[in-house]
Amino acid sequence: MAAPRARLGTVEAEGSSGRQGNSGVEVVVSSDPAPPAPLCPHGPTLLFVKANQGKEETRRFYACSACRDRKDCNFFQWEDEKLSGARLAAREAHNRRCQPPLSRSQCVERYLKFIELPLSQRKFCQRCQQLLLPDDEEKHHKHQIVGDISITQLKRPSQLLYPLENKKTNAQYLFADRSCLFLVDLLSTLGFRRVLCVGTPRLHELIRLKASGDKKSNVKSLLLDIDFRYSQFYMEDSFCHYNMFNHHFFDGKAALEVCRTFLQKDKGEGVIMVTDPPFGGLVEPLALTFKKLIAMWKEGQSQDNSHKELPIFWIFPYFFESRICQFFPSFCMLDYQVDYDNHALYKHGKTGRKQSPVRIFTNIPPNKIILPIEEGYRFCPLCQRYVSLENQHCEHCNSCTSKDGRKWNHCFLCKKCVKPSWIHCNICNHCALPDHSCNSPKHGCFICGELDHKRSTCPNIFTSKKVNKAVRKQKQRKSNKMKMETTKGQSMNHTSVTRKKKRRERAHQYLCS
Ligand code: SAH
Ligand code: ZN
Ligand code: ZN
Ligand code: ZN
Ligand code: ZN
């Protein structure tokens, strides 16, 4: 039977505030040794528990680590469920069927052939998101094809491929040029020679672009990403098909060794990990994964370096600060606002800047990180770090306290600085929005209970929706006495999905395992 498991601060979708009358889903972290989790096409699944306030812990179940929508991966298994041999075999076959059609080395072979072709024969199928070799053209003749793919285009795949924006799986939001250039410059100023890019395809390509154009800056980059389309553009030593929610390398040991070698080169000197995970993802499995990457780097360290930490940039919204620091106490949050190209909410508009909530969390001392004055940052000599211009140093808190880039005000009753829109409520005995209702003191996000955002912008919304849906569906299936194992092609809602969307979904299924 199942070994005892520790629930280490597992409240994720629910948030740590544990709102009354709310129910949420938590990820359960196994204490070793734990029985191995069953596999879905995205590697080992995660164990979840749906917690209901006031009730005993309910049954636990395994679900996909990477996809927060059943449409993308419908794996579901109760923790104590025993599967028949036939069903296990069917699952294995399904997992195999879902893997990319080409192996990593086949991709590399194709790439090498492709770059040998004359410009006029270098074509890219937009529909299939695939570089075409002359033999493939027949199959794609009805598709939209782009011709004359230049070497420059090949070096910028994030511009050639469309971003996979489906929030519940890839949530691919690409850095705006100025943020990406800022990062590249910062990395080289800090003297890093190798960058492990975990879910940062645009940063990866910009580092490589800069290195190839500038002999002095010979910075190497290795991209780990679940988006298999990128494997068409890189050799084995610069891209691994990887799931950052369970530390799963889709191409097995060989890929893991690529990563290990990269981290441990020069006794682990000069390397940094930069990651920009989907914001709907769970912090806990991400933290576990990063700890595994850190351990891998540590193995290559000599004994006297054992106190050293692997430098990390974790790019994530500011309201995750306490969660991230809980797992990585040495991290601090920089004021720098990360901008994106294809994210309406997080990109700065034409007129002035829209505030982006996305920040960099790092274990590099913040006084080493110079933020651009021309973009509205200044150095605070008291805090010894760069902050947003409007972020004023509070003499009572003895720090520049704003988290969102606006000027915050000190409340003497709360004994801390609060958002400018908040006032102190004597009934609730803390600061809140003026129109809050005193009956529900925690009137913040309905899903996670945080006060600084509403349900619609909750970073956990997808997780909670997915698993609630999963549980609901499971119950429904049982009552219908239907067989649990779903067969291929769970029918899509044809009326509501536009053609374009369908095309994208097809490509997504095909390309992104
Ligand atoms: N701002 C970054 C992209 C961040 S978007 C840039 O411009 O480079 C999130 C990235 O994480 C995407 O590339 C997406 O494909 C990848 N991703 C999403 N889920 C993942 C998973 N489970 N494992 C690994 N990578 C994942
Ligand atoms: Zn095609
Ligand atoms: Zn203050
Ligand atoms: Zn107050
Ligand atoms: Zn929330």
Side-chain angles (χ1 to χ4, degrees):
M1 263 322 287
R5 286 155 201 270
R7 275 173 54 185
L8 307 169
T10 51
V11 189
E12 284 281 357
E14 177 80 344
S16 48
S17 59
R19 283 167 54 80
Q20 285 237 329
N22 204 349
S23 72
V25 170
E26 300 167 4
V27 68
V28 183
V29 172
S30 327
S31 62
D32 289 325
L39 304 179
C40 80
H42 306 89
T45 52
L46 297 180
L47 187 60
F48 293 91
V49 62
K50 189 173 186 304
N52 289 317
Q53 189 85 35
K55 278 194 200 166
E56 277 295 286
E57 186 177 278
T58 45
R59 237 169 131 188
R60 308 198 286 192
F61 58 91
Y62 293 101
C64 177
S65 61
C67 308
R68 295 169 293 283
D69 188 335
R70 298 258 291 166
K71 211 158 80 245
D72 293 335
C73 180
N74 65 8
F75 188 98
F76 186 99
Q77 184 185 324
W78 293 113
E79 184 187 21
D80 53 9
E81 193 177 339
K82 290 273 171 289
L83 266 66
S84 70
R87 270 183 57 201
L88 282 173
R91 176 183 288 168
E92 253 170 56
H94 172 76
N95 288 353
R96 265 198 309 276
R97 261 199 317 277
C98 288
Q99 295 312 307
L102 297 175
S103 74
R104 196 64 195 87
S105 55
Q106 282 172 315
C107 291
V108 169
E109 221 169 276
R110 283 179 62 92
Y111 175 74
L112 294 174
K113 278 189 194 152
F114 190 89
I115 53 177
E116 294 277 285
L117 293 172
L119 185 65
S120 61
Q121 285 183 37
R122 278 190 233 137
K123 295 178 184 166
F124 175 75
C125 175
Q126 284 195 315
R127 177 179 167 149
C128 306
Q129 293 281 290
Q130 196 190 327
L131 296 173
L132 302 180
L133 293 175
D135 287 349
D136 311 321
E137 278 175 39
E138 176 66 26
K139 263 196 293 185
H140 299 262
H141 76 280
K142 283 193 181 146
H143 303 171
Q144 189 141 17
I145 307 287
V146 194
D148 294 346
I149 301 293
S150 66
I151 295 298
T152 314
Q153 280 171 300
L154 287 176
K155 287 185 177 173
R156 301 234 51 187
S158 79
Q159 292 181 338
L160 198 58
L161 303 166
Y162 57 68
L164 301 172
E165 289 183 2
N166 58 328
K167 292 196 180 54
K168 302 174 191 180
T169 302
N170 290 74
Q172 209 158 50
Y173 295 110
L174 299 166
F175 294 130
D177 280 344
R178 77 164 182 179
S179 284
C180 209
L181 284 169
F182 165 76
L183 283 169
V184 173
D185 285 345
L186 177 60
L187 293 170
S188 90
T189 307
L190 291 170
F192 291 108
R193 298 184 302 277
R194 294 189 313 287
V195 184
L196 182 67
C197 286
V198 183
T200 57
R202 180 157 280 178
L203 178 66
H204 174 65
E205 72 192 28
L206 213 65
I207 292 169
R208 290 166 58 89
L209 217 57
K210 197 169 168 216
S212 72
D214 174 1
K215 285 271 159 341
K216 275 189 288 165
S217 111
N218 196 20
V219 184
K220 296 261 182 298
S221 179
L222 169 62
L223 173 64
L224 310 183
D225 202 288
I226 203 163
D227 186 350
F228 182 71
R229 298 174 307 168
Y230 281 97
S231 63
Q232 304 175 80
F233 301 90
Y234 298 115
M235 310 291 279
E236 283 104 331
D237 63 354
S238 50
F239 173 80
C240 301
H241 190 202
Y242 177 75
N243 181 353
M244 66 166 103
F245 289 106
N246 58 5
H247 188 54
H248 174 67
F249 287 86
F250 290 83
D251 297 288
K253 202 156 184 307
L256 181 114
E257 286 311 320
V258 167
C259 179
R260 191 197 303 279
T261 307
F262 189 84
L263 283 171
Q264 296 182 356
K265 193 168 182 271
D266 298 340
K267 293 208 176 100
E269 275 297 306
V271 67
I272 181 171
M273 182 189 104
V274 182
T275 184
D276 186 9
F279 304 150
L282 299 166
V283 172
E284 185 157 67
L286 287 173
L288 275 180
T289 288
F290 302 153
K291 286 190 194 280
K292 285 181 186 157
L293 289 168
I294 292 167
M296 205 184 252
W297 169 81
K298 273 230 150 127
E299 284 164 20
Q301 295 279 296
S302 58
Q303 280 291 312
D304 41 315
N305 273 347
S306 59
H307 62 283
K308 273 204 183 170
E309 288 188 30
L310 170 67
I312 291 178
F313 282 166
W314 178 345
I315 298 166
F316 228 48
Y318 72 83
F319 33 82
F320 280 101
E321 184 182 18
S322 59
R323 289 297 282 149
I324 290 180
C325 294
Q326 199 180 326
F327 291 106
F328 297 102
S330 66
F331 281 22
C332 68
M333 187 177 89
L334 307 179
D335 265 24
Y336 185 80
Q337 302 195 1
V338 180
D339 288 322
Y340 293 84
D341 257 358
N342 55 327
H343 203 301
L345 272 178
Y346 301 167
K347 87 180 164 191
H348 60 102
K350 282 198 188 98
T351 52
R353 71 174 310 135
K354 240 189 195 169
Q355 302 276 3
S356 159
V358 185
R359 302 289 183 272
I360 301 169
F361 295 87
T362 184
N363 50 357
I364 296 173
N367 62 0
K368 289 196 181 157
I369 299 173
I370 301 171
L371 303 186
I373 312 273
E374 62 282 7
E375 285 181 31
Y377 302 96
R378 63 173 183 94
F379 187 70
C380 174
L382 296 164
C383 294
Q384 282 290 303
R385 66 176 184 113
Y386 279 81
V387 294
S388 287
L389 265 185
E390 291 89 314
N391 189 0
Q392 288 187 8
H393 192 86
C394 169
E395 56 179 20
H396 312 289
C397 299
N398 193 25
S399 116
C400 289
T401 45
S402 168
K403 302 288 181 195
D404 61 10
R406 297 179 295 169
K407 181 184 176 299
W408 284 24
N409 302 321
H410 190 82
C411 171
F412 288 95
L413 296 165
C414 290
K415 296 193 184 70
K416 63 176 185 184
C417 283
V418 296
K419 288 185 174 183
S421 49
W422 289 14
I423 52 162
H424 193 85
C425 169
N426 288 322
I427 299 169
C428 302
N429 207 20
H430 59 72
C431 282
L433 280 169
D435 62 351
H436 73 282
S437 121
C438 297
N439 307 333
S440 53
K442 287 179 186 139
H443 70 294
C445 170
F446 183 74
I447 292 167
C448 72
E450 289 294 326
L451 297 170
D452 54 10
H453 61 265
K454 295 282 179 229
R455 183 180 188 284
S456 55
T457 49
C458 179
N460 297 311
I461 189 165
F462 305 119
T463 329
S464 118
K465 265 191 189 165
K466 174 200 165 169
V467 190
N468 281 334
K469 215 162 108 189
V471 170
R472 222 173 29 241
K473 198 149 183 177
Q474 192 66 18
K475 281 185 183 156
Q476 186 192 333
R477 276 203 209 135
K478 279 231 154 128
S479 70
N480 290 349
K481 294 211 170 73
M482 275 166 64
K483 255 181 115 180
M484 276 231 330
E485 195 76 14
T486 48
T487 46
K488 65 180 159 134
Q490 274 217 324
S491 70
M492 253 189 241
N493 184 347
H494 286 272
T495 45
S496 66
V497 191
T498 63
R499 255 177 73 191
K500 194 170 157 207
K501 214 166 149 197
K502 268 198 255 170
R503 171 163 63 73
R504 288 192 172 206
E505 270 164 11
R506 261 201 309 277
H508 172 74
Q509 274 167 1
Y510 170 68
L511 292 155
C512 313
S513 73

